[in-house]
Amino acid sequence: MRVLLVEDNPILSRSLTDALTSAKLTVDCMHDGESADHVLRTQDYALVILDIGLPKLDGLEVLRRLRARRNVVPVLMLTAHGSVEERVRGLDLGADDYLAKPFALTELEARARALLRRGHGQEASLAQCGTLIYDSVDRGFTLDGEPLALTPRERSVLEVLMLRNGRAINKETLSEKIFGLDESVNADAIEIYVHRLRKKLERSSVGIVTLRGLGYLLEARTP
Ligand code: CA
């Protein structure tokens, strides 16, 4: 899952990026409001972590523009300590949650996870397709009751397919959801991940089918 982090403090943005990356998320990091606004117009994110005090364009204006485009991506604001006004303004503009600086990384991770779950429109943290079960709390998969071993990329691909809830997704959209901005994207890479996933799902009741003109679909095979 791709996350956009907008934070101008280099030390903080580095440690947040590390924390999010070790939580198996793909992180794009922007350091000013203008580039954040730009990238939000073209890229698809599962979560935006947005500092308020930013050069060029402040976080509140980035948020206002985002919601004006009817983009409903979950937004977690980072506010200055004690600034009630900022917080209220942000929530009024459509932020989903906020954290006042300084905060513990574990708290940021917990709130990010909660927003990512909500973003999927899932009440429960579990999603299921046949005997494949996905738990969005730890982002783990089990297949026929056994944990399924996956590389980070395979996990991301399978996660996107699972959360489509039976709808197909084309290769381009899938790779946009998987790869960060600074990664050189090879369209064939998606095919490789899908190929490996098919191998891992081979002897189960679940498969990834290719629908001509529509893309990939995760489905339970009828026995
Ligand atoms: Ca700042």
Side-chain angles (χ1 to χ4, degrees):
M1 276 189 279
R2 280 178 76 186
V3 172
L4 177 64
L5 171 67
V6 193
E7 170 58 64
D8 57 320
N9 178 313
I11 295 164
L12 186 56
S13 86
R14 189 67 253 164
S15 68
L16 294 181
T17 302
D18 288 348
L20 295 164
T21 307
S22 57
K24 304 172 199 150
L25 297 164
T26 301
V27 183
D28 287 339
C29 192
M30 295 292 143
H31 306 282
D32 66 81
E34 217 169 71
S35 28
D37 183 56
H38 178 75
V39 85
L40 281 165
R41 286 169 196 271
T42 55
Q43 303 295 309
D44 191 14
Y45 293 101
L47 173 67
V48 179
I49 299 173
L50 183 61
D51 185 28
I52 300 288
L54 290 171
K56 294 186 185 169
L57 204 61
D58 76 26
L60 291 171
E61 178 58 18
V62 173
L63 177 63
R64 195 194 61 74
R65 294 184 185 186
L66 181 73
R67 295 308 188 216
R69 295 193 296 274
R70 303 191 193 290
N71 187 325
V72 295
V73 58
V75 173
L76 173 62
M77 285 188 314
L78 305 181
T79 67
H81 175 69
S83 174
V84 179
E85 219 168 282
E86 268 186 1
R87 234 169 287 165
V88 170
R89 183 92 205 289
L91 293 169
D92 281 348
L93 285 171
D96 297 271
D97 199 359
Y98 68 85
L99 263 179
K101 292 177 183 177
F103 49 81
L105 285 178
T106 48
E107 186 171 10
L108 175 96
E109 285 165 21
R111 286 181 192 240
R113 275 200 302 274
L115 287 176
L116 287 166
R117 277 203 296 281
R118 224 191 290 166
H120 299 324
Q122 286 172 273
E123 280 302 312
S125 62
L126 296 179
Q128 184 171 10
C129 181
T131 54
L132 180 68
I133 294 172
Y134 168 69
D135 186 338
S136 65
V137 173
D138 63 2
R139 301 186 63 214
F141 283 89
T142 58
L143 182 62
D144 298 323
E146 297 289 329
L148 182 63
L150 297 168
T151 65
R153 288 290 197 221
E154 290 167 1
R155 177 185 314 280
S156 299
V157 171
L158 193 55
E159 203 165 51
V160 170
L161 291 170
M162 180 63 119
L163 297 170
R164 294 288 290 175
N165 276 322
R167 286 170 298 139
I169 184 166
N170 66 44
K171 217 196 295 179
E172 293 67 36
T173 314
L174 184 55
S175 56
E176 277 171 20
K177 286 181 186 287
I178 305 299
F179 296 105
L181 276 183
D182 50 0
E183 296 173 284
S184 55
V185 179
N186 175 355
D188 296 337
I190 288 290
E191 286 177 23
I192 295 165
Y193 298 126
V194 168
H195 174 77
R196 289 190 196 148
L197 283 169
R198 279 178 170 147
K199 285 245 169 243
K200 293 189 174 181
L201 297 170
E202 206 164 45
R203 275 181 284 277
S204 77
S205 65
V206 188
I208 299 169
V209 294
T210 306
L211 301 178
R212 260 188 98 117
L214 291 173
Y216 299 116
L217 173 70
L218 183 71
E219 67 170 20
R221 287 187 266 258
T222 40

